[in-house]
Amino acid sequence: MDYDYLIKLLCVGDSGVGKTSFLYKYTDGVFHTQFISTVGIDFREKTVIYQQNARQHRIHLQLWDTAGQERFRSLTTAFYRDAMGFLLLFDLTNEASFLEVRNWIEQLKTHSLSDDPDIVLCGHKCDLQEKRLVNQNRAREFAKNYNLLYLETSAKTGQNIDRAIEILLDKIMYRMETSVEYAMLCASGRRRQSLQRLQAKQDRKLCSC
Amino acid sequence: MIHDTFLATYRTWVSPGELVRKLVRRAHHYRPRAHDLRSTLGLLTRVVADLTMADLDRTLMQEIMEFIYWLVEGEELPISKALRQILVDKQKQLHFQNVNNKYEYDMPCYGTVSLRRDTLLDFKASELAEQMTLLDSALFVRITTAEVLSWPRDQSEESSPNLTRFTEHFNKMSYWARSRILEQYEAREREKYASKVLKVMKALRKLNNFNSYLALVSALDCPPVRRLGWPRAVADALRDHCALIDSSHSFRAYRNALADTQPPCIPYIGLFLQDLTFVHVGNPDLLPDGSINFTKRWQQYNIMENMKRFHKE
């Protein structure tokens, strides 16, 4: 398959918050029986076109979740390192899963490559309005404190599922672009410095003459 | 085959007690028709044989006993004898478990083992790997299909005690290994321990113990260990080992390795749990007309069979 960038995203959150159904919805995951027996085919992979400053990039997305394996904490944390961005899900109808979000953020900061990983916080199952236990303002407020983007999503209606991934992708692409620019800036900065030093040396030489 | 699938998965739509009651009713109903009665009794025997200790409460036991009396009256002697034997065996097992509960479930005492005199380095890697494998297999064979099947739905520690113990053991082994490395003050000492762990990993791989093998890989792979500078030999070896749990293509590397492995083998059980979770979430329990979605159960059965093929050894 042809693509310009390979981007790995990881979906985390307490068990039962709906991580798998979130990803199913995003990839239109019509489940087919082959996926387990046929090694190498994964329904959680998708290629998308990303528009950036009039340039088009083909991005191959790999979406990961640790569903079912949550208890193998010592192993699953290794997956965090590979991921470039995180979808952090909690269940709007389950208060405990919301309280755990703080913990998850700590986990991600400890185990991911960056101290400040790109995270989009999703209050999931927002179609179950009558069962909702976490109010929108409260979640918003929380997200603001941690400097996260917050969305309310539903795998049933599909609300904000695509949007959450687009936003995360935006953040990652922005980070990549700026880090490239930053690297270039640093490089040119260093060159400028060494030029100055050379100049100074030459000045001194001139002086001593 | 269809019977096997049914027996392995019926718990996803009916409780074991309920099923036994239904089969008893069916046996009463089929009394005059010898052929149907026999097939019902055959199924019932297998259901009863597969009941776990948690399923067999006092009322269910009583009901099965009553049914056995009914069979005796109807002169179905061989089958009533077989059923009775199963119940007696279960009773014995239950008794044995209660008596030996403490002793049997005693876990190795992590952490409190004094390594003052004999350090990890004093033992041969192959012996360490063997001992780890013995611990693992004792825990692994206890896990029942009923526990594994209910995991994606409930993730309840109470209803899956053996599974929980197994995963805890996995985490503890991993934390144990990383602690042994990190508690050394000198880089050279840490390297000695890391090379030891690598050797143990090699031996575990030879024993087909993927469980402890991956626990140790994840120990060396964790950020606190990995970010320390390591000599080339250690870093290269680690990279090779990590390739096995590369998550791309749905863990292709690991799945291939497992498929090529002949039992005896202890697999990494997390991936089975993940596959079962996907099957569970991706497929409805009932078909639109209200009947039971047996294709889903078929898939669940296949995953569990793949796991159980390692159970027997």
Side-chain angles (χ1 to χ4, degrees):
Chain A
M1 210 185 311
D2 246 9
Y3 51 80
D4 304 316
Y5 294 102
L6 171 73
I7 289 186
K8 283 193 185 185
L9 305 179
L10 187 68
C11 201
V12 293
D14 276 13
S15 47
V17 296
K19 299 185 286 288
T20 306
S21 26
F22 184 103
L23 296 185
Y24 263 123
K25 189 71 194 175
Y26 179 69
T27 51
D28 316 309
V30 187
F31 184 84
H32 42 91
T33 45
Q34 287 98 325
F35 117 82
I36 286 157
S37 42
T38 318
V39 171
I41 293 180
D42 200 327
F43 69 97
R44 294 161 297 173
E45 297 189 3
K46 191 170 179 174
T47 307
V48 296
I49 303 291
Y50 185 81
Q51 191 85 28
Q52 190 180 37
N53 308 333
R55 271 179 41 207
Q56 282 197 337
H57 301 296
R58 278 160 307 170
I59 295 180
H60 189 64
L61 280 178
Q62 282 188 346
L63 301 148
W64 278 102
D65 72 323
T66 55
Q69 298 189 69
E70 289 95 343
R71 300 296 168 96
F72 289 87
R73 288 234 165 180
S74 57
L75 183 76
T76 49
T77 46
F79 303 150
Y80 299 178
R81 208 190 37 235
D82 295 337
M84 299 174 186
F86 299 93
L87 291 157
L88 174 46
L89 264 66
F90 68 93
D91 178 355
L92 285 167
T93 67
N94 176 350
E95 167 113 26
S97 74
F98 177 64
L99 295 174
E100 274 298 306
V101 166
R102 203 183 302 263
N103 247 329
W104 280 108
I105 295 173
E106 280 312 309
Q107 287 276 329
L108 294 183
K109 283 188 175 166
T110 317
H111 295 285
S112 72
L113 268 184
S114 154
D115 294 336
D116 176 30
D118 288 321
I119 304 172
V120 170
L121 182 66
C122 300
H124 202 47
K125 305 188 188 174
C126 72
D127 53 293
L128 300 171
Q129 274 304 339
E130 69 286 0
K131 284 195 190 161
R132 177 196 266 268
L133 289 174
V134 181
N135 136 331
Q136 193 171 31
N137 287 334
R138 191 172 150 212
R140 270 241 157 93
E141 196 63 27
F142 176 88
K144 217 169 110 191
N145 283 339
Y146 278 87
N147 206 10
L148 305 176
L149 283 162
Y150 175 65
L151 284 175
E152 303 213 323
T153 53
S154 160
K156 202 161 192 181
T157 65
Q159 184 188 324
N160 277 338
I161 298 272
D162 288 0
R163 181 108 189 87
I165 297 205
E166 275 162 27
I167 288 179
L168 187 55
L169 203 52
D170 276 339
K171 286 184 102 179
I172 295 166
M173 292 306 282
Y174 176 76
R175 187 192 283 260
M176 290 218 286
E177 196 184 20
T178 46
S179 63
V180 169
E181 272 172 17
Y182 179 71
M184 274 160 61
L185 264 177
C186 285
S188 54
R190 215 173 296 138
R191 207 173 306 140
R192 206 177 307 134
Q193 259 183 9
S194 55
L195 275 177
Q196 277 169 352
R197 216 175 298 144
L198 205 71
Q199 195 80 46
K201 256 189 201 161
Q202 278 176 350
D203 285 351
R204 236 176 288 144
K205 265 185 194 161
L206 281 174
C207 283
S208 65
C209 274
Chain B
M1 197 66 170
I2 191 150
H3 271 161
D4 291 338
T5 312
F6 174 82
L7 284 169
T9 59
Y10 72 85
R11 288 159 200 271
T12 57
W13 69 87
V14 62
S15 77
E18 197 59 34
L19 181 64
V20 170
R21 261 159 237 141
K22 277 189 178 18
L23 286 171
V24 166
R25 214 175 317 142
R26 189 149 115 191
H28 283 277
H29 181 76
Y30 279 153
R31 182 83 194 271
R33 282 148 58 185
H35 177 71
D36 293 330
L37 178 62
R38 196 144 325 119
S39 74
T40 306
L41 291 178
L43 185 58
L44 181 64
T45 318
R46 293 187 63 184
V47 171
V48 173
D50 280 348
L51 288 176
T52 66
M53 296 304 144
D55 299 331
L56 255 184
D57 55 14
R58 203 169 280 271
T59 32
L60 187 58
M61 191 77 108
Q62 193 67 40
E63 280 172 30
I64 299 173
M65 284 311 283
E66 272 165 30
F67 182 67
I68 293 174
Y69 292 137
W70 180 78
L71 284 175
V72 174
E73 278 167 24
E75 306 206 329
E76 294 283 350
L77 293 179
I79 197 105
S80 65
K81 211 172 159 191
L83 265 177
R84 197 179 153 276
Q85 193 54 47
I86 294 172
L87 276 196
V88 170
D89 287 348
K90 296 250 174 207
Q91 257 331 354
K92 270 191 201 151
Q93 217 176 322
L94 194 65
H95 179 72
F96 180 77
Q97 237 177 45
N98 284 339
V99 171
N100 294 292
N101 212 359
K102 253 193 162 157
Y103 169 74
E104 267 218 299
Y105 286 155
D106 250 359
M107 294 290 287
C109 34
Y110 314 92
T112 52
V113 174
S114 164
L115 288 168
R116 281 297 130 70
R117 264 179 240 152
D118 289 330
T119 67
L120 186 55
L121 303 176
D122 296 324
F123 296 98
K124 273 172 80 175
S126 58
E127 276 167 15
L128 287 168
E130 255 168 52
Q131 291 303 317
M132 285 167 80
T133 307
L134 288 174
L135 290 175
D136 287 350
S137 73
L139 292 167
F140 180 62
V141 293
R142 267 185 227 284
I143 300 170
T144 63
T145 36
E147 289 180 63
V148 176
L149 190 60
S150 74
W151 186 253
R153 264 188 315 168
D154 316 330
Q155 295 228 345
S156 130
E157 292 190 0
E158 291 87 60
S159 61
S160 308
N162 299 308
L163 188 58
T164 306
R165 222 168 276 130
F166 191 68
T167 49
E168 264 172 24
H169 180 69
F170 178 93
N171 288 330
K172 280 178 181 162
M173 284 316 279
S174 182
Y175 293 137
W176 168 76
R178 55 187 88 170
S179 304
R180 290 292 85 80
I181 295 171
L182 292 174
E183 72 190 358
Q184 309 303 324
Y185 285 107
E186 302 290 332
R188 279 192 49 190
E189 288 300 304
R190 285 197 296 270
E191 276 161 29
K192 273 188 203 158
Y193 275 83
S195 329
K196 191 73 182 182
V197 172
L198 281 169
K199 276 186 199 143
V200 177
M201 272 157 61
K202 231 181 193 170
L204 287 168
R205 186 73 176 78
K206 235 182 232 159
L207 292 169
N208 288 335
N209 182 349
F210 285 101
N211 181 61
S212 277
Y213 173 73
L214 290 185
L216 294 188
V217 173
S218 69
L220 291 182
D221 192 32
C222 73
V225 173
R226 194 153 181 151
R227 69 167 163 248
L228 298 166
W230 292 103
R232 187 93 184 235
V234 175
D236 284 353
L238 180 57
R239 209 192 32 246
D240 292 346
H241 287 298
C242 284
L244 188 69
I245 46 162
D246 175 31
S247 54
S248 44
H249 306 290
S250 191
F251 296 91
R252 175 161 58 187
Y254 170 71
R255 283 181 203 269
N256 280 336
L258 190 63
D260 290 341
T261 303
Q262 286 305 314
C265 161
I266 302 177
Y268 166 62
I269 215 172
L271 206 55
F272 292 117
L273 297 176
Q274 175 152 68
D275 290 345
L276 282 169
T277 304
F278 290 148
V279 169
H280 177 62
V281 176
N283 298 273
D285 274 334
L286 300 176
L287 294 172
D289 65 356
S291 56
I292 288 158
N293 183 358
F294 206 69
T295 318
K296 172 174 181 171
R297 273 66 186 199
W298 185 254
Q299 290 173 13
Q300 290 172 325
Y301 172 72
N302 278 330
I303 297 169
M304 288 190 298
E305 266 309 290
N306 192 17
M307 188 184 113
K308 257 173 61 184
R309 91 188 159 97
F310 302 115
H311 237 186
K312 287 167 192 138
E313 301 294 320

